[in-house]
Amino acid sequence: MSAKTRFACTECGYISVRWLGRCTDCGGWNTLVEETINSKVAFADKNKSLTACPISNISIEHQSRFTTGIHELDGALGGGVVPGSLVLLGGDPGIGKSTLLLQMASELSRSGRKVLYVSGEESVQQIKMRSIRLNVEENLLFLLAETDIDQIEANIRETSPELVIIDSIQVVIKAEISASPGGVGQVRECASQMMRLAKMNGPAIFLVGHITKEGALAGPKVLEHMVDTVLYFEGERNNSFRILRSVKNRFGSTNEIGIFQMEGDGLKEVANPSEMFLSNRHSGDVPGSVVVSTIEGNRPLLVEVQALVCTSSFGSPRRMTAGVDYNRVSLILAVLEKRVGLHIGGQDAYVNAVGGVRLDEPAADLGIALALASSFKEVSVVGGLVAFGEIGLTGEIRPVPNLEKRINEAARLGFSRCIIPKSLSNYDPGNNMKVIRMNTLQEAIGAALV
Ligand code: TYD
Ligand code: MG
């Protein structure tokens, strides 16, 4: 009997019985590759049916989490590593995934846990060199350079570590499957083999996954629903600031984030990010600079927004943004023009969130608008000011969540006034913080630029 084959999209995992030039699901061109259907593997779990039983009868052996020794990573995982869990760590190449996991491995082995680091991309010598730089020299840390998943499994069974790192899942292969390495077929099969191993009272397994240009986990979108936890490591390459974000977690909340800084000797945890973002601010107040209070995960973060507005030398004005949404800035410029009456629409405008952080929240609108107005009028905002609020198309300032957290963070860092949306909450932190509640952008500009 001839082997059955099918075609799988390497981007989204779509399965087709025929080859197609364009994936009908994700629209990618030339992304379908042929793979053999291994019916034995695909249906292996089907016969293992158990009878249903009441939830109250199910006992859980007490499985306590263990700490990774890196506080920010524990937080993103929801309070440490759950034994037998499968975690996917995604991120752009060069962002620091291997560095983070090697540091974690080092901390774990230092606390007496056996860790196996499997690398399919670097030789053990290369990892050793990196580990010297990171100051890792532990006897309980085992290295293996291997890409064959069956060999990897054999090694895991032999060394029986408490935690395994596979760097990366895209390079491991299962020899019996004809699909090319990194293709959906391979990745899915290798990941499910690791999942079966982890769930059989095995080690916790961390898989590294690369991200495509479009920002999705390369190939294995399919992986995201297979694993217990999905973490993304983000940041700009020319900036040392990194955020570890949890986008799925079966064992905790996805609001948790971890904040790191990449330094010469590895990743350092940032316990006080607002302080870090504001550390290089101008001491004298300059036009075009406003501090906003934003929420990342469930943590407040103060970030400086800078704007530069100047006369356009071309017919159509230039707009450029870094760290803030381009369309959002266009909208705010239109509101400033139409509702506030500033003739800003024909000017060049540049907006930048300082420090490589992304301000995706609408709550940053007010800060952006004040920075633009401040630069346009060449007047700096009043000293000690923090602003936040969403701007509507009629020029109104709309309420945003987490009011208290934002105000408290500003108060903690020594700011003395907050311009915020008028809302039902009349929270007042007292002390030296003056909370100014505003209905419209026009009023807010009046209060901020004096
Ligand atoms: P790496 O962990 O190899 O990234 P990934 O596994 O996500 O591809 O980290 C790559 C970058 O980090 C590399 O360009 C250099 C930088 N780096 C440092 O700045 N300091 C360090 O101590 C290390 C190990 C790396
Ligand atoms: Mg790497």
Side-chain angles (χ1 to χ4, degrees):
M1 195 181 88
S2 68
K4 276 192 185 156
T5 63
R6 62 184 179 186
F7 296 86
C9 173
T10 51
E11 295 298 326
C12 69
Y14 176 76
I15 303 283
S16 166
V17 286
R18 307 176 280 126
W19 185 83
L20 300 166
R22 185 176 189 210
C23 172
T24 49
D25 199 19
C26 69
W29 288 98
N30 213 7
T31 53
L32 267 70
V33 292
E34 186 169 13
E35 60 182 38
T36 341
I37 305 171
N38 190 336
S39 53
K40 222 171 69 209
V41 177
F43 299 109
D45 285 348
K46 271 217 161 162
N47 305 327
K48 211 175 64 181
S49 75
L50 293 166
T51 40
C53 74
I55 190 166
S56 52
N57 291 3
I58 299 170
S59 67
I60 39 173
E61 305 132 50
H62 186 64
Q63 286 211 319
S64 54
R65 295 164 181 262
F66 56 85
T67 163
T68 60
I70 301 177
H71 182 75
E72 297 285 311
L73 176 59
D74 282 346
L77 287 168
V81 182
V82 176
S85 64
L86 193 61
V87 179
L88 177 65
L89 174 65
D92 289 328
I95 208 76
K97 299 179 295 298
S98 307
T99 308
L100 177 68
L101 293 181
L102 192 59
Q103 282 181 265
M104 174 185 79
S106 149
E107 290 294 331
L108 283 173
S109 49
R110 197 164 292 164
S111 63
R113 294 181 194 275
K114 203 190 261 185
V115 180
L116 175 64
Y117 188 112
V118 184
S119 178
E121 302 186 343
E122 293 166 286
S123 65
V124 289
Q125 285 80 9
Q126 276 174 308
I127 303 172
K128 171 85 186 180
M129 270 157 61
R130 188 200 301 255
S131 75
I132 291 171
R133 173 151 159 196
L134 297 173
N135 235 333
V136 179
E137 193 72 39
E138 303 299 330
N139 286 332
L140 283 170
L141 174 52
F142 291 74
L143 300 182
L144 173 70
E146 178 62 73
T147 54
D148 186 306
I149 195 76
D150 293 319
Q151 290 293 332
I152 293 173
E153 178 165 351
N155 259 284
I156 295 173
R157 289 182 187 280
E158 193 183 272
T159 25
S160 59
E162 279 184 75
L163 189 134
V164 177
I165 295 161
I166 299 190
D167 190 358
S168 66
I169 188 69
Q170 274 114 345
V171 297
V172 293
I173 48 165
K174 190 164 179 72
E176 297 144 39
I177 295 183
S178 65
S180 57
V184 185
Q186 285 287 4
V187 165
R188 189 177 32 210
E189 201 42 57
C190 295
S192 58
Q193 187 164 343
M194 287 297 108
M195 183 175 71
R196 285 192 290 271
L197 188 63
K199 298 298 163 200
M200 279 177 356
N201 273 333
I205 303 182
F206 279 64
L207 308 175
V208 172
H210 291 297
I211 283 183
T212 56
K213 288 192 291 298
E214 292 78 31
L217 274 171
K221 201 75 191 144
V222 273
L223 275 188
E224 287 196 1
H225 48 83
M226 194 185 277
V227 300
D228 298 312
T229 304
V230 181
L231 302 175
Y232 273 96
F233 207 29
E234 319 173 334
E236 293 195 20
R237 203 191 273 245
N238 45 13
N239 207 300
S240 62
F241 171 68
R242 303 277 186 272
I243 289 188
L244 185 64
R245 211 181 283 281
S246 145
V247 294
K248 166 184 175 180
N249 196 349
R250 286 185 181 146
F251 310 114
S253 136
T254 50
N255 279 334
E256 302 291 341
I257 58 163
I259 300 182
F260 296 90
Q261 205 168 1
M262 179 65 96
E263 289 177 7
D265 53 349
L267 288 156
K268 296 282 168 327
E269 300 181 60
V270 179
N272 209 333
S274 296
E275 234 160 58
M276 181 186 103
F277 283 124
L278 299 178
S279 60
N280 296 325
R281 266 184 96 216
H282 259 282
S283 45
D285 285 313
V286 284
S289 155
V290 174
V291 175
V292 303
S293 191
T294 179
I295 299 279
E296 270 292 353
N298 55 10
R299 276 202 258 179
L301 207 62
L302 298 189
V303 180
E304 181 187 359
V305 174
Q306 294 180 341
L308 183 67
V309 177
C310 52
T311 319
S312 180
S313 40
F314 298 105
S316 60
R318 271 169 72 84
R319 267 108 209 229
M320 233 154 100
T321 63
V324 294
D325 184 44
Y326 181 90
N327 293 324
R328 208 74 207 166
V329 170
S330 301
L331 182 150
I332 293 169
L333 285 167
V335 173
L336 283 169
E337 172 93 27
K338 195 84 179 177
R339 307 287 174 203
V340 184
L342 300 184
H343 294 299
I344 201 170
Q347 309 261 323
D348 286 349
Y350 306 91
V351 182
N352 178 22
V354 178
V357 69
R358 268 208 74 78
L359 294 176
D360 285 328
E361 241 199 335
D365 288 357
L366 183 57
I368 298 170
L370 292 178
L372 285 164
S374 156
S375 173
F376 179 70
K377 295 188 170 202
E378 273 299 311
V379 182
S380 61
V381 296
V382 290
L385 176 81
V386 167
F388 57 86
E390 181 179 348
I391 294 178
L393 292 180
T394 62
E396 85 275 23
I397 303 178
R398 308 165 62 89
V400 293
N402 296 311
L403 206 80
E404 301 184 11
K405 268 190 198 162
R406 297 179 203 259
I407 298 177
N408 289 341
E409 179 75 353
R412 192 177 69 79
L413 279 127
F415 286 85
S416 55
R417 56 189 104 196
C418 275
I419 299 188
I420 69 166
K422 211 168 233 173
S423 64
L424 295 176
S425 151
N426 49 4
Y427 177 69
D428 181 12
N431 294 338
N432 300 320
M433 176 58 83
K434 189 171 161 207
V435 179
I436 309 165
R437 296 182 157 75
M438 291 290 162
N439 262 328
T440 65
L441 179 55
Q442 186 143 20
E443 287 172 22
I445 291 177
L449 305 173
V450 284

PDB file of all heavy atoms in Angstrom, residues 93-94 96-99 117 121-122 130 167-168 208 210, ligand 2:
ATOM      1  N   PRO A  93      14.417  36.074  16.695  1.00  0.00           N
ATOM      2  CA  PRO A  93      15.797  35.610  16.837  1.00  0.00           C
ATOM      3  C   PRO A  93      16.653  36.702  17.481  1.00  0.00           C
ATOM      4  O   PRO A  93      16.495  37.882  17.160  1.00  0.00           O
ATOM      5  CB  PRO A  93      16.242  35.359  15.395  1.00  0.00           C
ATOM      6  CG  PRO A  93      14.993  35.243  14.608  1.00  0.00           C
ATOM      7  CD  PRO A  93      13.955  36.049  15.305  1.00  0.00           C
ATOM      8  N   GLY A  94      17.511  36.312  18.389  1.00  0.00           N
ATOM      9  CA  GLY A  94      18.441  37.260  18.995  1.00  0.00           C
ATOM     10  C   GLY A  94      17.867  38.087  20.118  1.00  0.00           C
ATOM     11  O   GLY A  94      18.525  38.975  20.643  1.00  0.00           O
ATOM     12  N   GLY A  96      16.977  36.943  23.091  1.00  0.00           N
ATOM     13  CA  GLY A  96      17.524  36.499  24.376  1.00  0.00           C
ATOM     14  C   GLY A  96      16.848  35.273  24.960  1.00  0.00           C
ATOM     15  O   GLY A  96      16.947  35.023  26.157  1.00  0.00           O
ATOM     16  N   LYS A  97      16.199  34.474  24.114  1.00  0.00           N
ATOM     17  CA  LYS A  97      15.511  33.288  24.630  1.00  0.00           C
ATOM     18  C   LYS A  97      16.499  32.288  25.218  1.00  0.00           C
ATOM     19  O   LYS A  97      16.319  31.813  26.333  1.00  0.00           O
ATOM     20  CB  LYS A  97      14.716  32.604  23.503  1.00  0.00           C
ATOM     21  CG  LYS A  97      13.650  33.475  22.887  1.00  0.00           C
ATOM     22  CD  LYS A  97      12.908  32.763  21.774  1.00  0.00           C
ATOM     23  CE  LYS A  97      13.749  32.425  20.556  1.00  0.00           C
ATOM     24  NZ  LYS A  97      14.308  33.583  19.856  1.00  0.00           N
ATOM     25  N   SER A  98      17.555  32.004  24.454  1.00  0.00           N
ATOM     26  CA  SER A  98      18.530  31.022  24.940  1.00  0.00           C
ATOM     27  C   SER A  98      19.215  31.537  26.196  1.00  0.00           C
ATOM     28  O   SER A  98      19.484  30.773  27.120  1.00  0.00           O
ATOM     29  CB  SER A  98      19.588  30.749  23.868  1.00  0.00           C
ATOM     30  OG  SER A  98      18.980  30.394  22.662  1.00  0.00           O
ATOM     31  N   THR A  99      19.476  32.827  26.218  1.00  0.00           N
ATOM     32  CA  THR A  99      20.127  33.420  27.382  1.00  0.00           C
ATOM     33  C   THR A  99      19.250  33.275  28.618  1.00  0.00           C
ATOM     34  O   THR A  99      19.713  32.842  29.676  1.00  0.00           O
ATOM     35  CB  THR A  99      20.409  34.916  27.122  1.00  0.00           C
ATOM     36  OG1 THR A  99      21.094  35.030  25.887  1.00  0.00           O
ATOM     37  CG2 THR A  99      21.233  35.519  28.236  1.00  0.00           C
ATOM     38  N   TYR A 117      19.709  20.662  29.103  1.00  0.00           N
ATOM     39  CA  TYR A 117      19.565  21.699  28.073  1.00  0.00           C
ATOM     40  C   TYR A 117      19.898  21.053  26.730  1.00  0.00           C
ATOM     41  O   TYR A 117      21.046  20.704  26.472  1.00  0.00           O
ATOM     42  CB  TYR A 117      20.510  22.854  28.388  1.00  0.00           C
ATOM     43  CG  TYR A 117      20.328  24.072  27.512  1.00  0.00           C
ATOM     44  CD1 TYR A 117      19.846  25.257  28.038  1.00  0.00           C
ATOM     45  CD2 TYR A 117      20.651  24.045  26.159  1.00  0.00           C
ATOM     46  CE1 TYR A 117      19.668  26.384  27.246  1.00  0.00           C
ATOM     47  CE2 TYR A 117      20.472  25.152  25.356  1.00  0.00           C
ATOM     48  CZ  TYR A 117      19.989  26.319  25.904  1.00  0.00           C
ATOM     49  OH  TYR A 117      19.808  27.428  25.127  1.00  0.00           O
ATOM     50  N   GLU A 121      20.707  24.026  17.861  1.00  0.00           N
ATOM     51  CA  GLU A 121      21.223  25.137  17.059  1.00  0.00           C
ATOM     52  C   GLU A 121      22.672  25.456  17.363  1.00  0.00           C
ATOM     53  O   GLU A 121      23.387  25.978  16.535  1.00  0.00           O
ATOM     54  CB  GLU A 121      20.368  26.392  17.330  1.00  0.00           C
ATOM     55  CG  GLU A 121      18.918  26.147  17.005  1.00  0.00           C
ATOM     56  CD  GLU A 121      18.067  27.382  17.126  1.00  0.00           C
ATOM     57  OE1 GLU A 121      18.511  28.355  17.758  1.00  0.00           O
ATOM     58  OE2 GLU A 121      16.953  27.365  16.580  1.00  0.00           O
ATOM     59  N   GLU A 122      23.070  25.169  18.595  1.00  0.00           N
ATOM     60  CA  GLU A 122      24.449  25.489  18.964  1.00  0.00           C
ATOM     61  C   GLU A 122      25.130  24.212  19.449  1.00  0.00           C
ATOM     62  O   GLU A 122      24.490  23.321  19.977  1.00  0.00           O
ATOM     63  CB  GLU A 122      24.454  26.528  20.092  1.00  0.00           C
ATOM     64  CG  GLU A 122      23.924  27.868  19.657  1.00  0.00           C
ATOM     65  CD  GLU A 122      23.621  28.779  20.842  1.00  0.00           C
ATOM     66  OE1 GLU A 122      22.613  28.531  21.527  1.00  0.00           O
ATOM     67  OE2 GLU A 122      24.380  29.713  21.077  1.00  0.00           O
ATOM     68  N   ARG A 130      29.002  30.569  26.151  1.00  0.00           N
ATOM     69  CA  ARG A 130      27.998  31.501  26.632  1.00  0.00           C
ATOM     70  C   ARG A 130      27.855  31.388  28.145  1.00  0.00           C
ATOM     71  O   ARG A 130      27.699  32.376  28.851  1.00  0.00           O
ATOM     72  CB  ARG A 130      26.654  31.193  25.966  1.00  0.00           C
ATOM     73  CG  ARG A 130      25.587  32.227  26.268  1.00  0.00           C
ATOM     74  CD  ARG A 130      24.218  31.656  26.030  1.00  0.00           C
ATOM     75  NE  ARG A 130      24.022  31.210  24.654  1.00  0.00           N
ATOM     76  CZ  ARG A 130      23.299  31.887  23.770  1.00  0.00           C
ATOM     77  NH1 ARG A 130      22.753  33.005  24.101  1.00  0.00           N
ATOM     78  NH2 ARG A 130      23.145  31.417  22.569  1.00  0.00           N
ATOM     79  N   ASP A 167      15.887  23.729  22.609  1.00  0.00           N
ATOM     80  CA  ASP A 167      16.201  24.993  21.940  1.00  0.00           C
ATOM     81  C   ASP A 167      16.661  24.697  20.519  1.00  0.00           C
ATOM     82  O   ASP A 167      17.785  24.335  20.300  1.00  0.00           O
ATOM     83  CB  ASP A 167      17.287  25.708  22.745  1.00  0.00           C
ATOM     84  CG  ASP A 167      17.519  27.123  22.275  1.00  0.00           C
ATOM     85  OD1 ASP A 167      16.878  27.541  21.302  1.00  0.00           O
ATOM     86  OD2 ASP A 167      18.375  27.797  22.876  1.00  0.00           O
ATOM     87  N   SER A 168      15.888  24.783  19.494  1.00  0.00           N
ATOM     88  CA  SER A 168      14.495  25.139  19.503  1.00  0.00           C
ATOM     89  C   SER A 168      13.658  23.996  18.927  1.00  0.00           C
ATOM     90  O   SER A 168      14.200  23.096  18.299  1.00  0.00           O
ATOM     91  CB  SER A 168      14.299  26.370  18.620  1.00  0.00           C
ATOM     92  OG  SER A 168      14.575  26.017  17.275  1.00  0.00           O
ATOM     93  N   VAL A 208      11.590  26.159  22.913  1.00  0.00           N
ATOM     94  CA  VAL A 208      11.840  27.480  22.335  1.00  0.00           C
ATOM     95  C   VAL A 208      11.250  27.491  20.936  1.00  0.00           C
ATOM     96  O   VAL A 208      11.410  26.522  20.190  1.00  0.00           O
ATOM     97  CB  VAL A 208      13.350  27.768  22.268  1.00  0.00           C
ATOM     98  CG1 VAL A 208      13.628  29.054  21.497  1.00  0.00           C
ATOM     99  CG2 VAL A 208      13.929  27.853  23.663  1.00  0.00           C
ATOM    100  N   HIS A 210      10.749  29.951  17.334  1.00  0.00           N
ATOM    101  CA  HIS A 210      11.078  31.213  16.670  1.00  0.00           C
ATOM    102  C   HIS A 210       9.824  31.845  16.089  1.00  0.00           C
ATOM    103  O   HIS A 210       8.845  31.178  15.823  1.00  0.00           O
ATOM    104  CB  HIS A 210      12.093  30.988  15.559  1.00  0.00           C
ATOM    105  CG  HIS A 210      13.414  30.606  16.090  1.00  0.00           C
ATOM    106  ND1 HIS A 210      14.157  31.433  16.901  1.00  0.00           N
ATOM    107  CD2 HIS A 210      14.113  29.459  15.976  1.00  0.00           C
ATOM    108  CE1 HIS A 210      15.260  30.816  17.236  1.00  0.00           C
ATOM    109  NE2 HIS A 210      15.260  29.608  16.699  1.00  0.00           N
TER     110      HIS A 210
HETATM  111 MG    MG B   2      18.860  30.885  20.684  1.00  0.00          MG
END
